[in-house]
DNA sequence: CCGTATTCTTACTCCGGAGTAGGTAACGAG
DNA sequence: CTCGTTACCTACTCCGGAGTAAGAATACGG
């Protein structure tokens, strides 16, 4: 009985670190950074608290490590999902699809990345805001490419960064909405967003702008 | 000297409550809910801590009160800014304009509403998510109106709610972006968003949909 | 001028939870 | 077998900050 009963012990450091990070992501995603306690993380990870401090450092460090890992996975998934040789609209399509697929398959990761991080003004936000910036930059590059190629006017070009921010925000928001409506298939959600955003941008490129009648 | 030196004391309850709420909004917007301490709020408000507990209740209650007040002001500003008799696109324009103007003029309120609330899964989120829902519903009504009037197909109609969520998210995200680029005038930002979103929706209504070539 | 209600303060209690001290047990090398 | 190293635990310390007890000072009606 001593063999079976005994908890699996004395695993190499790498494995424990992974277990701890997994547990941390789960706990943080459930309670948020502040409500989460190191005790609960240790409990979920099946490891005592000092291990966490020995391996991952302070609570802040631990959270940052979670962010870094998950953000890396997300970005990785996106760039892996995009074929840079196809047309811009298809690139956007593929990127969005990869994004939504990741969110659908890793809801916890998404919760940690999106909900938790933005609010804390701490050193974490840097981590995620950096990723967010990378995402925005990615989209911006796409838009700028299209805009300059088609000879978009200067004023409209200035708007691409803002548009990218809006698009990224729309994606995030739609992802949240989607979490509450899981019945909708991935392609559908992405198609909706593409229609909203690409058609709108297409008009913009063509010079088909909207403007208020009076005011 | 006793007259001037003496801090202004013994104000009626209403006034104190307002002072406390003002201070709370400021402190919460700077540090976030958890990092904010009641001691700091009391200090900023120029009132001792037990007053807060006497008038506004617990920290949670205080935060909820902030949210309620600010959310109310925001929604009020939006509906006040919209003329329900004009064309739908102008209604959206006016609503967005009112929204961005509010954000520009009340950055602290916005920070509290947007950044802080979403993350905490507590009873606050209900408050703001309710407001968010109202905003989405408002937009959705607009879109549905347009869609049905122009005989949009059923499939596309189903997407209006999602589109509204995306639009609200885009607005929020763009508002955040705007806070970092205050040089851009309000009208301009709103115009960008209108172009992106209304032109896209317009295409959708016309049946001008985008779809991926392969995949 | 007395009682009662309201405004307001100082000076605490108390606890959750971050972080640690110090020790035990398992492995691997020589 | 022993010595060093690494994995791991129990059982604490300690502090920030939420919330409170108990009373002081002012207003005001009668």
């Amino acid at each position: 009985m001593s063999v079976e009963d005994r908890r699996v012990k004395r695993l190499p450091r790498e494995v424990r670190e992974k277990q701890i990070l997994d547990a941390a992501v789960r706990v943080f995603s459930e309670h948020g950074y502040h409500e989460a306690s190191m005790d609960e993380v240790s409990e979920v990870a099946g490891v005592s608290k000092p291990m966490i401090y020995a391996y991952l450092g302070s609570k802040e460090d631990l959270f940052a490590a979670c962010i870094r890992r998950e953000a890396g996975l997300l970005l990785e998934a996106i760039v892996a999902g995009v074929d840079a040789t196809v047309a811009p609209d298809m690139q956007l399509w593929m990127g969005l699809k990869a994004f939504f697929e990741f969110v659908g398959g890793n809801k916890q990761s998404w919760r940690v990345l999106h909900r938790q991080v933005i609010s804390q003004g701490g050193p974490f936000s840097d981590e995620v805001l950096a990723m967010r910036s990378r995402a925005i930059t990615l989209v911006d590059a796409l838009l700028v490419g299209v805009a300059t190629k088609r000879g978009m006017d200067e004023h409209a070009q200035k708007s691409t960064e803002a548009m990218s921010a809006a698009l990224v925000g729309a994606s995030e928001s739609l992802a949240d909405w989607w979490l509450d409506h899981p019945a909708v298939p991935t392609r559908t959600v992405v198609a909706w967003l593409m229609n909203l955003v690409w058609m709108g941008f297409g008009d913009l490129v063509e010079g088909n702008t909207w403007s208020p009648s009076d005011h």
Side-chain angles (χ1 to χ4, degrees), chain A:
Chain A
M1 82 171 74
S2 62
V3 175
E4 272 206 355
D5 200 33
R6 212 96 175 110
R7 244 192 295 178
V8 187
K9 286 196 169 184
R10 253 189 129 59
L11 299 176
R13 177 169 181 154
E14 273 188 29
V15 180
R16 284 296 190 211
E17 281 190 354
K18 187 182 178 316
Q19 288 179 353
I20 293 172
L21 281 177
D22 290 343
V25 167
R26 183 170 147 197
V27 172
F28 283 137
S29 82
E30 278 169 9
H31 306 311
Y33 175 73
H34 285 281
E35 304 294 354
S37 73
M38 296 299 267
D39 291 271
E40 183 173 354
V41 173
S42 77
E43 198 178 327
V44 171
V47 162
S48 72
K49 209 168 29 153
M51 294 301 306
I52 304 181
Y53 283 90
Y55 286 168
L56 277 311
S58 70
K59 185 182 184 182
E60 209 171 289
D61 294 337
L62 176 62
F63 191 65
C66 290
I67 297 302
R68 218 187 332 269
R69 192 180 73 166
E70 302 303 318
L73 289 174
L74 173 54
L75 261 190
E76 214 173 281
I78 292 180
V79 303
V82 174
D83 176 356
T85 67
V86 301
D89 57 341
M90 282 306 292
Q91 284 188 42
L92 186 56
W93 161 261
M94 292 170 90
L96 287 176
K97 200 145 166 292
F99 167 72
F100 277 89
E101 267 158 7
F102 180 91
V103 171
N106 303 60
K107 299 180 202 291
Q108 291 178 345
S109 309
W110 175 245
R111 287 224 152 78
V112 170
L113 285 178
H114 185 234
R115 307 214 121 116
Q116 303 312 323
V117 168
I118 306 294
S119 60
Q120 346 283 354
F124 331 112
S125 53
D126 296 346
E127 298 272 357
V128 156
L129 289 183
M131 183 205 67
R132 210 166 182 280
S133 293
R134 279 192 61 191
I136 292 181
T137 307
L138 229 65
V139 177
D140 192 34
L142 215 63
L143 297 190
V144 167
V146 178
T148 55
K149 198 190 307 183
R150 303 203 192 169
M152 204 169 167
D153 70 33
E154 196 177 331
H155 177 259
Q157 278 188 33
K158 277 221 163 183
S159 67
T160 55
E161 189 190 330
M163 292 299 85
S164 304
L167 171 52
V168 170
S171 307
E172 291 174 351
S173 179
L174 192 54
D176 276 350
W177 177 88
W178 189 39
L179 288 185
D180 298 331
H181 302 73
V184 181
T186 316
R187 318 185 24 104
T188 308
V189 188
V190 180
W192 285 345
L193 189 55
M194 273 305 284
N195 271 291
L196 180 63
V197 118
W198 188 258
M199 298 304 282
F201 188 74
D203 277 321
L204 215 61
V205 168
E206 307 295 340
N208 263 343
T209 58
W210 178 96
S211 62
S213 37
D214 49 305
H215 258 265

